[in-house]
Every structure is written in structure tokens, then in C-alpha cells.
Amino acid sequence: MSKLSRQFKVPDELANLYDFANTLDVRHFTHHGVQHPQSDELASAKEFAVWMRQRGLLLADARVSPAMLATALELRSLIRDYLQRDPPERSKNRDSVRALNKVLKLFPLLATARDDGGMVLKPARDDALAGLSSIIAELYDGSRNGTLDRLKMCASDECRRVFFDRSKPATRRWCMSSLCGNRMKTRNYRERQRNAE
């Protein structure tokens, strides 16, 4: 769990998925006169390994190859594409679902019995990408218990950050109403004023 997932009170069972989706920062707005810098925490195999290690998703001696990084970036892109849609629309886009299913096959999971009598999904892989299978397990568990519907992408084209919707009716559209929401509402208001003239 990262500082951001803690700060925004993302449930532990979705924290790695949230963090993974947000390793790509495409925000391109100006706030208080400062342009937000875009970044990618997974810009190289080395950075990807560091990110995985920080979250306990990478075995100490595991090596990440450029091909593994490419697989991880494809997974991230498809997860972000899936999360950008409204929850009821996610399964309706057949191309998106087909592409996501294709990459999910690379991360098989095994059901394992726990000491407490419960079950848990564990990675079937035993290489450096096994940790991403844990993220797939979060995706699966979240879809099964309904919490994945609260993981959304900010509706602002200048932001596109994934956020956890903590509102009671689960109808938030922006990661932060005070920033992205205000910016969008102000822009829409000004456009309506121009069109009314």
C-alpha cells in the first residue's frame, strides 16, 4: 500500500491495483500557475522491479526483463482502459473485454486453502511477474464483491487518475471535486455563457 492509497483511503484489498493503474500519470493541467509534470513509474525494467519490490510483489532474487516490462505495461493499459468506463458499461465493450481477457491469461491463479478455513487466490507463476497475479486477484475479488465498481477513472481529460469512489451512492465523476470537478464545471459554465451570447 502506498502513501497515496492510504491518503485516499483505498481499501487494502484494492490498493495494489489502484497503485498499479496510477503508475502512469498523464495529468496535464496547470494548478496555481504550475504545470503538472507527467510521469511513468514503470519507465524501465529496473523501475518496474523497484515498484514491485516496494509492495512486496517481487521475490528478492527475481529479475525483470524488458519483455516482462512490456507485458506489465500492456496489462496496465488494458486495466486503465477497463476502469475508464462507467461500471455498468465495462462488460459491454467486447473489444476491451476480449483484449483484457487475453492478457489475463498470462497471469493464472490458484485457489489455495488457508489455515482459517477460507480460500485465497495465489499466483500460479513463479517468475518476476508472479506479483502481478496478485493484482489480478484484486481485480477478480473486487469484481466479485462489488468494490471494483467504486474504482473509477477521473472524468477530467486533463487528469485521468484512477480513484476510489467513497461517496454513498458511488456516483462521483472526479478524483477531487475541488480540483478536477471545479475545473470542469467552470469550463462548462464559460462555454454555456459563450454559446448564449
Side-chain angles (χ1 to χ4, degrees):
M1 183 179 247
S2 70
K3 286 182 191 176
L4 276 179
S5 53
R6 262 189 242 104
Q7 176 186 346
F8 292 110
K9 299 177 182 160
V10 176
D12 289 349
E13 60 270 13
L14 291 175
N16 285 324
L17 175 59
Y18 167 87
D19 288 341
F20 182 64
N22 282 321
T23 55
L24 181 63
D25 187 349
V26 295
R27 293 177 286 180
H28 58 278
F29 53 77
T30 302
H31 184 65
H32 296 298
V34 178
Q35 178 70 35
H36 183 85
Q38 295 183 345
S39 64
D40 187 347
E41 291 181 63
L42 311 182
S44 70
K46 183 179 179 181
E47 287 173 303
F48 176 47
V50 167
W51 185 88
M52 295 272 285
R53 223 173 253 117
Q54 288 172 341
R55 285 155 185 79
L57 299 175
L58 188 67
L59 301 173
D61 60 344
R63 302 243 180 237
V64 176
S65 70
M68 289 176 170
L69 172 64
T71 300
L73 295 179
E74 181 182 10
L75 175 63
R76 180 184 68 185
S77 174
L78 292 169
I79 287 173
R80 287 180 59 83
D81 181 57
Y82 184 77
L83 294 176
Q84 80 176 340
R85 302 174 200 295
D86 287 334
E89 301 299 314
R90 289 176 180 171
S91 62
K92 293 179 183 175
N93 186 306
R94 290 184 184 179
D95 292 337
S96 174
V97 169
R98 202 172 297 122
L100 183 59
N101 281 336
K102 184 178 177 184
V103 78
L104 290 178
K105 288 179 183 178
L106 301 174
F107 301 95
L109 298 165
L110 298 172
T112 307
R114 293 189 314 226
D115 294 339
D116 65 3
M119 300 289 276
V120 65
L121 292 173
K122 296 272 189 174
R125 294 182 75 122
D126 61 358
D127 62 2
L129 292 183
L132 290 184
S133 293
S134 298
I135 291 172
I136 302 306
E138 289 184 12
L139 188 68
Y140 171 79
D141 288 340
S143 70
R144 191 177 47 78
N145 66 26
T147 56
L148 187 63
D149 287 353
R150 290 183 173 270
L151 207 58
K152 302 175 180 179
M153 188 174 284
C154 184
S156 170
D157 289 335
E158 295 175 337
C159 180
R160 309 310 283 165
R161 224 56 204 137
V162 172
F163 68 96
F164 185 77
D165 183 353
R166 299 193 73 74
S167 69
K168 199 168 193 165
T171 55
R172 266 182 53 198
R173 297 185 59 225
W174 301 287
C175 60
M176 295 182 78
S177 293
S178 58
L179 294 176
C180 293
N182 255 0
R183 214 177 356 261
M184 293 287 288
K185 289 173 188 173
T186 301
R187 187 175 299 130
N188 290 340
Y189 172 78
R190 288 180 182 153
E191 191 169 316
R192 281 194 306 274
Q193 293 302 320
R194 269 194 301 266
N195 291 339
E197 291 174 356

